[in-house]
Amino acid sequence: WQVSLQTRPKGSSGPFNHMCGGILLESCWVLTAAHCIESEVEMQVMLGGVDLEKDEIYDQVIRVEKAIVHENYKKTPSALYNDIAMLQLKVMDRPYCAKESRYVKTACLTNQPFNSGTECVVSGWGVTETQKKGTNQLIQAPVLLISQEKCKAPNVYGDVLDDSMFCAGYLRGGPDSCQGDSGGPLVCERNGTHYVVGVVSWGDGCGMKNKPGVYANVGRFVDWITRHLLS
Ligand code: 4AZ
């Protein structure tokens, strides 16, 4: 379900560049972050692959037909609110878009919350300590869900945090998402099923003490998401 969302300027015939992550929900639908959506660009998604630079046999590359940004998405200097969007993929001459395979699966949704302290997994091609332009290889990191109470502490993010978002990571600093991971999945496991719980959204730096990653709170958007999946 991990997707690479790639763009190039509208009308260009040049290469597409990775710009965000995404999450496959259905054959023709991808969930991502609203702040990943730009106008004046062509978008495609790449699924099934691990290495962005190599053609791999399980790669599927599909154009994006249209983007739906949440109507209450808001960007302020301190936070991104309701940072969620859906991408409808192009059906070429087939009855489907992404084809399910060993390497391409859809993610599950739930509005049942996970407890704070649960260890979940965030993944992407974003910036690492040693690769400032992002990694070619898809990687993942463990992160702990952090309660709103702890993350709203004045020395963490204070009152800019609302219920459209939550924090995950380590208040002592450590594993975190970073630039280029935005739009990608934070998944948690329950009874052998992996659920998308968060969409990588923002944070003050990466991996720093008292500045954990902030994620769009997918559970709060399940109704909004299903409304668009059904329409
Ligand atoms: C970014 O710039 C970004 N540490 C993504 C995630 C985080 C910070 C920044 C979380 O896209």
Side-chain angles (χ1 to χ4, degrees):
W1 47 79
Q2 171 83 53
V3 165
S4 164
L5 175 58
Q6 310 182 338
T7 60
R8 71 179 180 193
K10 212 165 236 157
S12 151
S13 56
F16 282 84
N17 292 309
H18 171 87
M19 88 134 200
C20 271
I23 306 149
L24 188 69
L25 293 181
E26 282 191 1
S27 175
C28 295
W29 288 98
V30 166
L31 190 66
T32 189
H35 83 263
C36 290
I37 308 302
E38 290 176 8
S39 48
E40 307 307 313
V41 295
E42 294 175 351
M43 287 188 281
Q44 68 176 25
V45 296
M46 195 271 293
L47 303 108
V50 169
D51 190 319
L52 289 178
E53 296 298 311
K54 291 206 181 95
D55 282 327
E56 298 168 291
I57 57 170
Y58 296 106
D59 280 354
Q60 295 183 40
V61 178
I62 307 168
R63 291 299 189 90
V64 174
E65 172 85 34
K66 68 165 178 180
I68 302 169
V69 172
H70 195 280
E71 48 277 18
N72 298 126
Y73 167 60
K74 196 170 111 187
K75 182 184 165 132
T76 75
S78 41
L80 299 171
Y81 296 91
N82 303 295
D83 188 14
I84 203 152
M86 289 177 70
L87 305 174
Q88 186 166 31
L89 306 183
K90 264 201 178 102
V91 187
M92 300 303 272
D93 29 47
R94 313 188 231 119
Y96 54 84
C97 303
K99 189 175 172 57
E100 177 126 354
S101 72
R102 243 176 85 100
Y103 298 93
V104 174
K105 302 274 180 209
T106 52
C108 297
L109 294 172
T110 178
N111 48 22
Q112 294 194 341
F114 283 81
N115 295 329
S116 53
T118 303
E119 186 175 293
C120 300
V121 173
V122 63
S123 52
W125 288 272
V127 168
T128 67
E129 297 93 321
T130 52
Q131 290 178 286
K132 304 286 176 213
K133 290 187 290 190
T135 62
N136 290 334
Q137 304 290 326
L138 176 63
I139 57 171
Q140 66 178 53
V143 285
L144 305 180
L145 302 185
I146 298 172
S147 69
Q148 292 300 82
E149 185 190 319
K150 279 192 177 151
C151 213
K152 279 185 174 180
N155 64 332
V156 186
Y157 289 119
D159 283 331
V160 303
L161 225 66
D162 77 358
D163 286 341
S164 76
M165 48 186 112
F166 68 88
C167 302
Y170 303 85
L171 292 178
R172 68 175 70 158
D176 194 7
S177 50
C178 203
Q179 198 181 344
D181 294 322
S182 282
L186 180 151
V187 298
C188 309
E189 190 187 327
R190 179 181 281 151
N191 301 330
T193 302
H194 289 84
Y195 294 96
V196 200
V197 171
V199 175
V200 179
S201 180
W202 61 277
D204 188 351
C206 304
M208 294 196 319
K209 183 180 168 174
N210 286 331
K211 301 296 167 191
V214 185
Y215 296 81
N217 188 359
V218 173
R220 293 267 312 212
F221 297 108
V222 171
D223 288 350
W224 181 84
I225 293 166
T226 43
R227 216 159 47 234
H228 288 291
L229 289 178
L230 297 173
S231 69

